[in-house]
Amino acid sequence: MADRFTVVVMLLMSTSALALKKGELLDMSFSFDGNSLSYPGLGFFELTSQYRGPLNAIPWVEYNNILSPEHVGTHMDAPIHVSEGKLHIDEIPLSRFTCPAVRIDITEKTKLDRDYGMTVQDLQDWEEVYGKIPDDCLLFVYTGWGAFYPDRLAYQGTTRNDTFLDEQGKSLVHSPGVAPEAATWLLENRKISGLGLDAPSLDIGQDTVFKTHQILLGANVYGVENVANLDKLPNTGAWVYAFPMKIVGGSGGSVRLVAQLKADTSGAVMLSASFVTLLGLISVLF
Amino acid sequence: MADRFTVVVMLLMSTSALALKKGELLDMSFSFDGNSLSYPGLGFFELTSQYRGPLNAIPWVEYNNILSPEHVGTHMDAPIHVSEGKLHIDEIPLSRFTCPAVRIDITEKTKLDRDYGMTVQDLQDWEEVYGKIPDDCLLFVYTGWGAFYPDRLAYQGTTRNDTFLDEQGKSLVHSPGVAPEAATWLLENRKISGLGLDAPSLDIGQDTVFKTHQILLGANVYGVENVANLDKLPNTGAWVYAFPMKIVGGSGGSVRLVAQLKADTSGAVMLSASFVTLLGLISVLF
């Protein structure tokens, strides 16, 4: 029980680091440029100038072309990405892109193990403090890896950008993610719209069959990868806008991800969290 | 005065066609595919399959590459697009993308003249019914041209996709937009965040120097072109989310434009509009 108590106290301490004020907007998208990261083998974002300068009687005209994988930078995985017959990016209902945001902080675990996948226990520990994960939310897993983006080696554990597999078929990528058991638990016990994280993949980098992808996307839950500024998102109390590029037949697409604190909930969260701590203490003591 | 009264009644009638319910989301972006329109000469959106099928132990994997002009489909014009030294798309503050939406309906004028540009009088007529255009709003000009998208001939007035100029340097494009005088009036008398419309360009198609672009973008006001579903947006009472793709050094970028009716304002709008009509009647009679 003492361990459980420590977990609760740690979660409470992370709550007190709220950085968002009521109504304030948080930009959770990384910028697109030549350094934008995609999973090794998927290619690069490239901006090519089409025109820049005076044009006829117009003093200045400037426009560019974009060449980009669907899955680069801060982007959404549509269910079809790894699940035949499921939704393309343009087929996901609009209402699923604007919803409550919750954040599960697993940074203490990933510091010790860069191949860490969020567990069922992590979810249950979070719920002990904040209550049930709300229906139709976008659940963010805060791995801490966002701080490394776009340093390929630090973020992905390899400088390779052409393939994620070595000659023995093992993954070259080392990055945290979500354990398949946690994905299954979420589907069976809760009802989320999507799952996002500040890491290269929903799966830990060492998983070569992308089990967590298969589980979540197979249930028409969308993913959001390479999320920015998760350190500034409160664990509860925010709202998120995750409207993706509407590509006909797209398996994914860029999303300008934005969060907003809908109410000044920091006080309420602290109060309710303190109450849960008190209950925890009572259960330890008696 | 009778003409002014007719205008007010017409505007009131258009208000009663509110299609959005409170909280409901309105998708104001067209889908991206090979038929997506850009201004003649800017190029095409293209989705190229990179992989589709089983991969090693994964039953299904599907992902694509995007080749796209910045200015295709429903997209934002950053100030730099026609104004040297002004903001790139990634430099516009996030707060300017989520704001009240207002709609000026000029469909009765464009039916008679496909080269019609919204005038100062149109803005003043609107304000007579709905009050002052709110600060920091995204102002939408409803031309009715959205109904023609993506029929290139109907929408742009020409089937040419390689250039908008004929051999004499005259514009081949015939489409409604915003008269430069109206753009100047907005800058000098009101404070808008952006201006969007359901047409190929902020300028009328016949303008070859893009004066309205130069005026608005030169003042760091952004534009949104090829807006979808403006027929369903109420004239007031909606909120809009216009978060564009964050391209470093971009002159524009795709935006998944979404509106939401923040409160059930139809009743309030009708009441206040009726009051204005009453005032109008009184001023006609006395």
Side-chain angles (χ1 to χ4, degrees), chain A residues 29 32 64 66 68 70 246, chain B residues 29 32 64 66 68 70 246:
Chain A
S29 285
F32 285 99
N64 311 286
I66 296 160
S68 175
E70 292 169 326
K246 193 164 58 166
Chain B
S29 284
F32 285 99
N64 311 287
I66 296 160
S68 175
E70 292 169 326
K246 192 165 58 165

Side-chain angles (χ1 to χ4, degrees), chain A residues 100-249:
Chain A
V102 299
R103 185 188 76 163
I104 319 266
D105 180 349
I106 59 165
T107 54
E108 293 300 322
K109 313 286 182 75
T110 60
K111 273 177 200 161
L112 304 174
D113 177 9
R114 69 174 298 148
D115 298 317
Y116 185 79
M118 181 183 70
T119 62
V120 174
Q121 188 65 56
D122 291 328
L123 291 166
Q124 289 171 340
D125 287 344
W126 188 93
E127 289 201 339
E128 195 158 330
V129 178
Y130 300 103
K132 194 178 158 189
I133 291 164
D135 279 357
D136 306 312
C137 73
L138 176 37
L139 188 151
F140 289 103
V141 181
Y142 173 35
T143 70
W145 250 236
F148 302 136
Y149 187 96
D151 178 331
R152 191 178 288 272
L153 179 60
Y155 192 68
Q156 298 187 335
T158 172
T159 54
R160 290 287 288 271
N161 55 39
D162 54 335
T163 176
F164 64 95
L165 296 175
D166 68 11
E167 283 159 12
Q168 283 75 45
K170 286 188 179 160
S171 176
L172 295 158
V173 178
H174 290 273
S175 56
V178 173
E181 297 74 19
T184 300
W185 187 90
L186 280 168
L187 291 182
E188 290 177 352
N189 300 284
R190 298 294 176 264
K191 180 176 172 288
I192 61 171
S193 270
L195 190 146
L197 79 183
D198 57 341
S201 171
L202 301 178
D203 284 276
I204 67 165
Q206 283 295 290
D207 188 325
T208 54
V209 295
F210 300 92
K211 277 197 215 85
T212 294
H213 270 87
Q214 290 189 50
I215 293 164
L216 292 176
L217 276 53
N220 272 329
V221 169
Y222 62 78
V224 188
E225 291 164 340
N226 304 327
V227 170
N229 288 324
L230 266 183
D231 56 321
K232 299 184 187 73
L233 187 76
N235 293 336
T236 67
W239 196 262
V240 69
Y241 307 98
F243 301 118
M245 201 172 168
K246 193 164 58 166
I247 304 166
V248 175

Side-chain angles (χ1 to χ4, degrees), chain A residues 27 29 32 42 50 59-66 68-70 80-82 88 214 244 246 248 251 256, chain B residues 27 29 32 42 50 59-66 68-70 80-82 88 214 244 246 248 251 256:
Chain A
D27 198 341
S29 285
F32 285 99
L42 289 193
Q50 273 201 81
W60 190 261
V61 176
E62 180 170 330
Y63 53 95
N64 311 286
N65 267 338
I66 296 160
S68 175
E70 292 169 326
I80 188 73
H81 181 41
V82 297
H88 288 93
Q214 290 189 50
K246 193 164 58 166
V248 175
S251 77
R256 181 71 178 268
Chain B
D27 198 341
S29 284
F32 285 99
L42 289 193
Q50 273 201 81
W60 191 261
V61 177
E62 181 170 331
Y63 53 94
N64 311 287
N65 267 340
I66 296 160
S68 175
E70 292 169 326
I80 189 74
H81 181 40
V82 297
H88 288 93
Q214 290 190 49
K246 192 165 58 165
V248 176
S251 77
R256 181 70 177 269

